[in-house]
Structure formats: C-alpha cells, structure tokens
C-alpha cells in the first residue's frame, strides 16, 4: 500500500497525545484521549479514531473543550456516582466512570455512573468491552448534538444516541460486544450519497421542514431518522433521558452541532452501567447460558458474533500496529509541532 | 355499544381471579395475575389484558404453569436479587421483583432484579410506571418464546423482547412511559394480513427457509424480523442476554411457542432495573431536565408524550370501569364456573 505509514500502537498514541497537548490538553487528558482514539482505530472504527484529533484540537483551541478540566465525583451512593467532566474532552472522565462502575458493581451487584458536562464520547464499545473482560456485563449510552426527532416529531431534538453492551464469555474468549447508533444509518452514508448525487431511501431522513426526503442534501440540512420508525425514535428518547436527566447534562437540542465552529462546550451526558453476574445467578450459570446462545448462533454459518470483527482487527493491530494514511500522520505531526 | 358489558375494575379483577383459581392458581397467583391483566386492559393494551385469562387457564391446567408456585429470592447483594418464579405465572414474581428493585435502588442508587423460571410477562409498562410514580426511573426487559433471528441469522433464536422504560415527572404529572417490542411489527398485524389475503411489506418476516417473504402465511411459519434490520436484531440479542443469562432462565429458542399446546413451562426471564435520581444529579435537577425535554417535545403539536394515551385510558377506566365484549365476560364467567 502506497501512501500509508505503519505506526505501532504506542507510537500512534504518543503522537496523538502530543498533538492534543499542543492544542492545550493537559497530560492526563491528552493521554486518555489518545488511548481511546488509538483503541477505536485499532478496532477498525476509524470514524472514532485518529481522524478525530484535528477536531478535538480545534475544540481545545476554541475553548469548546477545556484542556485543564479535572473529572471529579460530585455525588455518590454505594451503587452510583455522578462525575463532572468539567467540559473537558470526555475520555478521562469516562475512564474514571469505568473504574467507579467496576468497583461499585462488585460491591452492590450493579452500579451506574453518569458523566455530565461531557463531550464527544467516541467508541462506547471500548469501556464496555473492558468491563466484560473483567467479568462484568457493561452497558453504555451517550447522547450527541441534535440529529433526530422524537416519535411523531419534525425537528431534531435527540442525538443519534449509541447503545453499547458487552457480555463476558468463558475463559479467554473475547466478549460479545454490541455497539450501534440508533439512527437508521450513519450520517456519513448520507454525505456519500450527497457527494455522488444519488437519492437516499425513504426512512433515512427529513428535510429542514420536517418532511420525508430522498434528497441527501436536503437531509443534511434537516434531521436524520431513527432506525425502525417511531419505535426506534422512542428508544432514542429513552437513551437521551437516561444520559441527560439522571446526570443533569445538556440535551441534544441544547448542544451546538460538531459540524460547525462554536465556542460552547456541548455539555453532553453519558451513562455507564455495570452488572456483576455473581450478584444474580452467578458466574458459572451466566457463562454457561452465554455459551448456549453462542452455540445456537454459530450453528448458522452466516452468523458472526457481534464484536468479532472488531476483536480480530484489534488483535492484529496489537501485533502489527496501525497502517495509517500518510496524510493523516503528517497532519498529526503538524499538529504536534514536529 | 351493543354486545359489551361494563364492569368496574374491581369486578373485572375478581372475575379474572376466580377464573384463574378455578384453573388451579392459588389465591396469591390468581390475584397478582388478575391485577396485571386488568391493569393492561385499563391502559388499552387488550393484547395483554383479559383476553389472556383463557390462555393462562390452559397453561395452569396443562401444568405448563404451576398454580402453587411461590416466588422466592435465591440470591442477593445490596443492589441485586435473583427471584425464582418457580414456573408459575409471572406476575406474583414480578410484583416481588418490583418491591425488591424499589427498596434496593433507594439504598444503593440503582438496583437490578432478575426473574428466572418465569412466564409470559404481559405489559411491562405496568411495573416501570409504578416505579416512576414513586420517583424512580424504571427499566424492564423480558424475553418470549422464539420469534426473531439474531443479526444475519435465519432461524428464530430470540423473542420479540420488549423494552419498557418509565421516567418520573414533577408533581402529579403522569410519568413518561415507553413500552415497545423489538419486532418490526406485532405478530397480530401479520395474522390480520393472512386473514385478509394481503401481502406484507418486506422487512417484517422471513419464511420457514429463512428467506425474506411478503406472504403472511409463510411468515407465520417462519420468523418475525426485528425493527430496523440488523441493528434492531442486535438490540434484541442484548435484551435476550440481559433477561436470560444474568438470571439463568431459558432462551427464546428453548421455549415452546405459546401458539400451540405444550406441557413445558417456558422458563422465560425478566430483568427489572430501578434507578434513583437522588443517587446521581438529584431529584430537583432530574425533574427540571425532564420538563425541559417535555417542553421541547410539546412545542410540536403533532408530538404526544409516550404513555399519554395509555394514561388517559387508565384514568377513564378508573372512573368508568371497563367496557368488555359480552362474549369475553361470558367466557370468563364460564371459566370461573358461574
């Protein structure tokens, strides 16, 4: 492959962290962010990977993300904690949330941690997968700036509102990891159609007047639609209320779009839930049941376990490093001041 | 309206309880079941209402539901409990789950209760709405006998797997209640199309060979599809694993269909989660945030709050009682031995 460069995960992480430091992130925020972006990149989730460094650097320079924010626990009970991300980038706060969810779930059987005054949360598969690698069921939700209407509505009040879930498996088998946004399709698909001048199917989007459209350009000025019609929109509303109301964060409709410059921190919210199977039917029963479903699923040769592709890419990246477009590496180096 | 009879909620509940007692349910199971069925009927959820008494009576007579089962807690931690429904009808166990979820959530901030060896769970909006009326966010999940394939699959491994969520509102305002099955449409819609000889849209079902079909009769022999394609199927898998693996229940593909006689208890699973906003940003912030979303939603005259229609029907039924088809009342009376 011409025009690509191979970097080890460590090299990529250091380079990304230096670029973020140069834009004003303190050491802890730069490290946590770089680790999350490289983690997503390694899983093949390029949209949440190193391509985000430039955007985050702009947020930091605009003051839309505070480079010196220190995540802290505002309130707690045995099974819950509220974390203030202080309008920094989300990842240091999410790492704290993950640690809090883990130890509280071991004590109580279940725990939930809300993150408020937070930011773009990237690949939510990462924290839930790590919880599952430690034997816990992980669930994660986040909102995002305004993108989709509520059921029956026309204007975009909700984010695309990803849902991530991870379930441990026996021995060294990789967890089952589900990670999906509740939009019918990713915004990127509509952007590709707009570039190619192709119509989009009905059910993907509304125009600026809130009418169904098959014109991708009209769709980009309007609202995306949830998967599966009003039911999917109701699920997205559920996620929005869980992420925002419990932690006191900002709703999607209160956050400026990430696709235009803004000085305003988005104050988004995330919710992380960890459940210890040991507090219910016990690890042995739980792992048996998971394997029974895995066996039934893999009986069909067309079925792949959710997360298996990402896991294979992650294993490969750990061995071989990342193959990155030369232009991206050069941009990262320029941002880092090399 | 000819051919309908008006019964007060109390009359309907007593009649249903007597019919269930006559089929072998003990007093506690009969009462809990009748209360749930009348509650669903009052909310306009006829499919989970009194029409189910005949089916439940058959389960009890077949031994497919144990009339003398006593729900009991098998295992617990501060924030979790595992309840064995003992292969009885689900509702006494669900009532215990609701009470356990409530008091554990107040202590820990969040709680989760799994119900195993359970049965048809009816309207999951009921327990979450009651939790929300007490100031807690309620989430409920159940599986059901085999109905839908996993993502990419052909055979029905998953139930239709409803998700219910309720969020408290300020003062006496009724909670926001979301309650939806993850199937693209209810099975009843396919049955209606089959009766009328009308084709069904693509995306609703597969035939017995696992191929997409627009023939409703072929669909009834095959599998229903999740809303929104593979993403919806992934959500249904998530719900299946939450309901079943944590509590050690039976998967959808291990349970006999409710549409044919069987001596086998389905051993289904439910999961109930309660979250106390007081353990996160606090009740005042939470209720403010909920009202901010409600205001934004109702700014669009076409938008109704989820659960509002059910709530209006419920209020009306509390005043006026239920207007029931005469044939249904006669069937209930016959089952009760009147």
């Amino acid at each position: 492959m011409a025009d690509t460069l191979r970097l080890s995960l460590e090299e990529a992480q250091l380079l990304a962290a230096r670029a973020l430091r140069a834009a004003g992130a303190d050491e802890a925020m730069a490290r946590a962010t770089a680790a999350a972006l490289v983690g997503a990149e390694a899983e093949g989730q390029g949209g949440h990977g190193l391509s985000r460094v430039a955007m985050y650097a702009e947020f930091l320079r605009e003051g839309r993300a505070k480079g010196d924010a220190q995540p802290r626990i505002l309130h707690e009970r045995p099974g819950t904690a509220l974390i203030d991300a202080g309008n920094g980038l989300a990842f240091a706060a999410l790492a704290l949330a993950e640690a809090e969810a883990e130890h509280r779930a071991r004590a109580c059987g279940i725990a939930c941690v809300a993150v408020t005054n937070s930011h773009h949360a990237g690949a939510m598969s990462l924290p839930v997968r790590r919880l599952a690698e430690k034997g816990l069921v992980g669930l994660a939700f986040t909102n995002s700036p305004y993108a989709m209407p509520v059921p029956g509505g026309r204007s975009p009040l909700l984010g695309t509102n990803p849902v991530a879930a991870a379930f441990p498996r026996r021995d060294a088998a990789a967890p089952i990891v589900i990670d999906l946004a509740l939009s019918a399709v990713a915004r990127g698909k509509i952007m590709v159609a707009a570039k190619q001048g192709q119509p989009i199917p009905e059910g993907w989007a509304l125009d600026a007047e809130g009418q169904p459209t098959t014109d991708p350009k009209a769709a980009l000025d309007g609202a995306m639609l949830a998967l599966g019609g009003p039911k999917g929109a109701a699920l997205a509303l559920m996620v929005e209320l869980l992420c925002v109301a419990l932690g006191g964060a900002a709703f999607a409709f209160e956050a400026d779009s990430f696709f235009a410059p803004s000085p305003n921190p988005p104050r988004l919210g995330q919710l992380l839930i960890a459940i210890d199977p040991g507090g219910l039917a016990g690890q042995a029963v739980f792992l048996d049941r998971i394997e029974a479903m895995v066996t039934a699923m893999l009986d069909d040769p067309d079925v792949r376990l959710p997360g298996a592709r990402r896991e294979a890419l992650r294993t490969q990246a750990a061995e071989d490093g990342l193959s990155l477009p030369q232009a991206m590496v050069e941009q990262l180096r320029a941002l880092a001041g090399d």
Side-chain angles (χ1 to χ4, degrees), chain A residues 132 167-176 283-292 294-295:
Chain A
F167 297 86
R169 286 188 63 197
R170 195 182 279 154
D171 306 326
I176 295 172
Q283 283 285 348
V285 170
F286 173 85
L287 294 172
D288 276 356
R289 295 276 64 204
I290 293 286
E291 289 315 296
V294 166
T295 302

Side-chain angles (χ1 to χ4, degrees), chain A residues 265-276:
Chain A
R267 299 193 54 248
L268 297 173
Q270 285 95 34
L271 196 77
L272 207 55
I273 294 178
I275 307 175
D276 184 352

Side-chain angles (χ1 to χ4, degrees), chain A residues 25 37 46 56 62 89 102 108 110 133 137 173 179 197 242 246 258 263 291 301 306 315 319 333 337:
Chain A
L37 296 179
Y56 290 168
E62 282 170 338
L89 295 172
E102 185 192 346
C108 295
I110 184 170
E133 283 175 345
V137 172
D179 181 14
L242 287 173
L246 285 167
F258 285 146
E291 289 315 296
T315 306
E319 286 175 16
R333 286 181 179 152

Side-chain angles (χ1 to χ4, degrees), chain A residues 13 19 21 26 85 87 101 114 168 183 221 226-227 242 244 251 261 264 277 294-295 311 321 331:
Chain A
Q13 209 162 310
R21 285 282 288 129
D26 70 14
N87 293 314
S183 51
D221 291 335
L227 62 89
L242 287 173
V244 172
F251 285 115
N264 303 320
V294 166
T295 302
E311 186 63 28
Q331 187 193 34

Side-chain angles (χ1 to χ4, degrees), chain A residues 20-97:
Chain A
L20 292 160
R21 285 282 288 129
D26 70 14
E27 188 62 33
M29 188 179 298
R31 267 196 219 172
T33 306
L37 296 179
V38 167
E41 191 80 40
E43 282 195 345
Q45 300 206 64
H48 291 313
L50 292 166
S51 66
R52 293 281 180 173
V53 173
M55 187 180 93
Y56 290 168
E58 204 181 322
F59 291 166
L60 288 161
R61 281 190 301 259
E62 282 170 338
R64 194 177 190 180
K66 313 291 181 201
D68 59 353
Q70 307 299 321
R72 64 199 180 96
I73 296 177
L74 291 184
H75 189 63
E76 58 186 315
R77 285 221 193 133
T80 54
L82 171 63
I83 292 174
D84 182 357
N87 293 314
L89 295 172
F91 302 99
L94 285 172
L96 177 59

